[in-house]
Amino acid sequence: MSTDLSRLSLNQETIKQWSLPELTEGCVKAGIGQVGLWRAPVQEYGVERAAQLVKDAGLTVTSLCRGGFLTAVDPGERARALEDNRAAVDEAAALSTDTLVLVSGGLPSGDKDLYAARERIADALAELGPYAQERGVRLAIEPLHPMFASDRCVVSTLSQALDLAERFPAEQVGVVVDAYHVWWDDQAPAQIARAGAGGRIHSFQLADWITPLPAGVLLGRGQLGDGSVDFRTMRRQVEATGFDGPIEVEIFNEGLWARDGAEVLAEVASRYLEHAC
Amino acid sequence: MSTDLSRLSLNQETIKQWSLPELTEGCVKAGIGQVGLWRAPVQEYGVERAAQLVKDAGLTVTSLCRGGFLTAVDPGERARALEDNRAAVDEAAALSTDTLVLVSGGLPSGDKDLYAARERIADALAELGPYAQERGVRLAIEPLHPMFASDRCVVSTLSQALDLAERFPAEQVGVVVDAYHVWWDDQAPAQIARAGAGGRIHSFQLADWITPLPAGVLLGRGQLGDGSVDFRTMRRQVEATGFDGPIEVEIFNEGLWARDGAEVLAEVASRYLEHAC
């Protein structure tokens, strides 16, 4: 079995119980050189201070989560969303990561038009793309599982994400391939090839699909190997396109959050080697 | 606004609190001429007795739920599943319905191969299709929302369902278009057209998509109009293919089950007229 952890990136939400200093220290101790960060804990700690912390620890930030929520109709709400996304780009640049993950947003209250909502995302990307590119940041549209289509993300498939992304240069807009969200989709292999051919795989993330889903379904992700996702096959598909970037493990699971962080990280590493290498 | 309830069929699971005699009486009183039935309550009441009850009430049975669960690998389990599906066909024939809904089944424990599971369904359909046709029953593959892909139904889209169905004559195998399961899918309109062109829309069902989803997600369906589904547009797509069959309302919702059945039925009828006509 492989013992190579060089491609592994730990998304901080996987060990949410850790503060940023605990995270950097824990990763260094475990030999993990890459982390994915979230805006809220970074802002709480201070963006510049967080950037210095990870730099001092010798860690690379593989992505920042998240911008997005670009589906509002109301002009004031739209302006605030764009403003917030520009701030997210600035934070990504400060952290020296080239990838800002976008969760596109759901349907406005009472609205039933998924197509129009996706067009509003395209309008927003036209404004945000150049702003991001100037700062060395790529916007990565993350298709979320269709169970989030109404309230979180009207972009449900890689195909839809690429239909949006391809309207813009690959240096501005690409996609996230998150195994948890696309594992069920028989179109995913072809869309991974399409994304890779266009240089648009900006992030590759892993979490396992387990059931039963908890109420609200957001925190239902499983540790690698506990569920139904064939990570090794998906990794082969992603790498067949030439992708050799970080492989980020991002699990939202209250069971993991209740445990000792170092123990969870050791488990993530061993499961990654066992199921995704 | 339309007052035409002639196309409406009430799936009995929507008012699960009603016994079969209450269901038939309630429908007759409300001017609903069609019902969709489930095997368990029918078996409990007695298949022949249930058939007589609905016949005496002048009701048409638009579908029987459900056969399926055809993804087992174990030979003994597969044989039992086929046997159970033949019994389901017999029950459908006894109830004089031409449509047996199939929920295909999930992944066997520890299995990660959705493709192979769908092939096992095809193998089973090859055995069941002729048996059903001889008894005047069509097998209707119901794609279930991708959130059920691992534990309930490896057929997640109309496209996948049709890829399976089209290997067999349309008189043997078709599909269910259930708005709840396919509303999010931008491929659904094209696949509805494909299904209709082939005479394979065996059933058209409605429930609304509401959030937050409850734990286990099975009972998260909403009353028509409470959620995100644009029923009128989908009905137009279905009818553009020439479909003029029953429109079955099938909602699993503990809130509806806790209320007076007649009140729920009146609400279903008025919401149907308001949102799906």
Side-chain angles (χ1 to χ4, degrees):
Chain A
M1 202 169 81
S2 169
T3 57
D4 181 6
L5 294 173
S6 64
R7 299 277 301 282
L8 177 62
S9 173
L10 175 70
N11 186 285
Q12 76 173 125
E13 202 70 4
T14 307
I15 309 182
K16 193 192 174 102
Q17 61 274 41
W18 266 351
S19 66
L20 268 171
E22 287 170 333
L23 177 77
T24 50
E25 193 192 334
C27 283
V28 169
K29 270 194 193 161
I32 309 294
Q34 306 179 100
V35 290
L37 299 181
W38 278 67
R39 290 183 73 197
V42 165
Q43 288 169 352
E44 199 182 318
Y45 191 78
V47 178
E48 295 303 331
R49 204 171 148 228
Q52 196 61 49
L53 181 75
V54 293
K55 192 181 165 198
D56 290 347
L59 297 174
T60 302
V61 181
T62 54
S63 72
L64 179 65
C65 270
R66 59 178 197 239
F69 291 88
L70 299 167
T71 51
V73 172
D74 174 72
E77 232 179 293
R78 286 189 65 71
R80 281 191 296 280
L82 287 170
E83 189 54 37
D84 185 55
N85 275 273
R86 281 187 287 266
V89 168
D90 295 343
E91 290 159 27
L95 293 165
S96 302
T97 178
D98 63 357
T99 301
L100 176 65
V101 174
L102 301 186
V103 173
S104 297
L107 288 169
S109 177
D111 195 316
K112 299 172 197 281
D113 192 341
L114 293 166
Y115 299 87
R118 287 193 286 265
E119 285 308 307
R120 290 194 296 278
I121 297 166
D123 293 345
L125 292 173
E127 294 197 42
L128 294 171
Y131 183 90
Q133 188 178 12
E134 283 165 25
R135 286 149 188 84
V137 176
R138 305 174 306 178
L139 306 173
I141 304 172
E142 179 163 6
L144 257 55
H145 192 283
M147 69 187 176
F148 296 114
S150 70
D151 59 357
R152 195 167 291 268
C153 187
V154 296
V155 179
S156 304
T157 61
L158 280 169
S159 171
Q160 292 171 351
L162 287 164
D163 286 350
L164 282 169
E166 287 172 357
R167 302 192 200 181
F168 307 97
E171 298 71 34
Q172 291 183 9
V173 187
V175 301
V176 179
V177 176
D178 185 320
Y180 184 78
H181 294 303
V182 305
W183 77 278
W184 60 272
D185 184 4
D186 60 1
Q187 310 289 308
Q191 297 301 320
I192 287 170
R194 173 185 166 193
R200 291 185 193 268
I201 300 179
H202 290 185
S203 175
F204 179 32
Q205 298 185 326
L206 311 183
D208 216 338
W209 179 269
I210 57 172
T211 58
L213 289 159
V217 305
L218 189 62
L219 308 184
R221 303 189 189 194
Q223 176 63 279
L224 313 188
D226 284 350
S228 305
V229 182
D230 181 352
F231 297 107
R232 203 171 284 112
T233 297
M234 194 176 291
R235 178 173 174 172
R236 270 202 301 268
Q237 292 162 356
V238 167
E239 296 189 342
T241 73
F243 178 88
D244 59 1
I247 300 172
E248 210 176 293
V249 174
E250 185 192 50
I251 307 169
F252 311 156
N253 182 301
E254 292 184 319
L256 295 187
W257 295 341
R259 290 166 51 191
D260 173 70
E263 185 191 305
V264 173
L265 181 51
E267 188 180 81
V268 164
S270 75
R271 295 295 188 93
Y272 165 82
L273 294 171
E274 186 181 348
H275 297 283
C277 292
Chain B
M1 201 171 81
S2 167
T3 56
D4 181 5
L5 295 173
S6 65
R7 300 276 300 283
L8 177 61
S9 174
L10 174 72
N11 187 287
Q12 76 172 121
E13 202 69 4
T14 306
I15 310 182
K16 194 192 173 99
Q17 62 272 43
W18 267 351
S19 67
L20 267 172
E22 288 169 333
L23 176 78
T24 51
E25 194 192 333
C27 284
V28 168
K29 270 193 189 158
I32 308 295
Q34 305 179 100
V35 290
L37 300 181
W38 279 67
R39 290 182 73 196
V42 165
Q43 288 169 350
E44 198 181 319
Y45 190 78
V47 179
E48 295 302 331
R49 206 171 147 227
Q52 194 63 48
L53 181 76
V54 293
K55 192 183 166 196
D56 290 346
L59 297 173
T60 302
V61 181
T62 54
S63 72
L64 179 66
C65 270
R66 60 176 197 245
F69 291 88
L70 298 167
T71 50
V73 173
D74 174 74
E77 234 180 292
R78 286 189 64 74
R80 281 191 296 280
L82 288 171
E83 189 55 36
D84 184 55
N85 275 273
R86 282 187 286 266
V89 168
D90 295 343
E91 290 160 25
L95 293 164
S96 302
T97 179
D98 63 356
T99 301
L100 176 66
V101 173
L102 301 187
V103 172
S104 297
L107 288 169
S109 175
D111 195 317
K112 298 172 197 279
D113 192 341
L114 293 166
Y115 299 85
R118 287 194 286 267
E119 286 306 308
R120 291 194 296 277
I121 297 166
D123 292 344
L125 292 173
E127 293 197 42
L128 294 171
Y131 183 90
Q133 188 177 13
E134 283 165 23
R135 285 149 188 85
V137 175
R138 304 175 307 179
L139 305 172
I141 303 172
E142 179 163 6
L144 257 55
H145 191 285
M147 69 187 176
F148 296 114
S150 70
D151 59 357
R152 194 168 291 268
C153 187
V154 295
V155 179
S156 302
T157 61
L158 280 169
S159 172
Q160 292 171 349
L162 286 164
D163 285 350
L164 282 169
E166 288 173 354
R167 302 193 201 180
F168 308 97
E171 299 71 34
Q172 291 183 8
V173 186
V175 301
V176 179
V177 177
D178 186 318
Y180 184 78
H181 294 302
V182 305
W183 77 279
W184 61 271
D185 183 5
D186 60 1
Q187 309 290 308
Q191 297 300 320
I192 287 170
R194 173 184 168 193
R200 292 185 193 267
I201 301 180
H202 289 185
S203 175
F204 179 33
Q205 297 185 327
L206 310 183
D208 215 338
W209 179 269
I210 57 172
T211 57
L213 289 160
V217 305
L218 189 62
L219 308 184
R221 303 189 189 196
Q223 176 62 279
L224 312 187
D226 285 350
S228 305
V229 182
D230 181 352
F231 296 108
R232 204 173 282 111
T233 297
M234 194 177 290
R235 178 173 172 170
R236 271 202 300 269
Q237 292 162 355
V238 167
E239 295 188 344
T241 72
F243 179 87
D244 60 0
I247 300 173
E248 210 175 293
V249 174
E250 185 192 49
I251 306 169
F252 312 155
N253 182 301
E254 291 184 320
L256 296 185
W257 294 342
R259 289 167 52 191
D260 173 69
E263 186 191 304
V264 174
L265 182 52
E267 188 180 83
V268 164
S270 74
R271 295 296 189 91
Y272 165 81
L273 293 171
E274 188 182 348
H275 296 283
C277 292

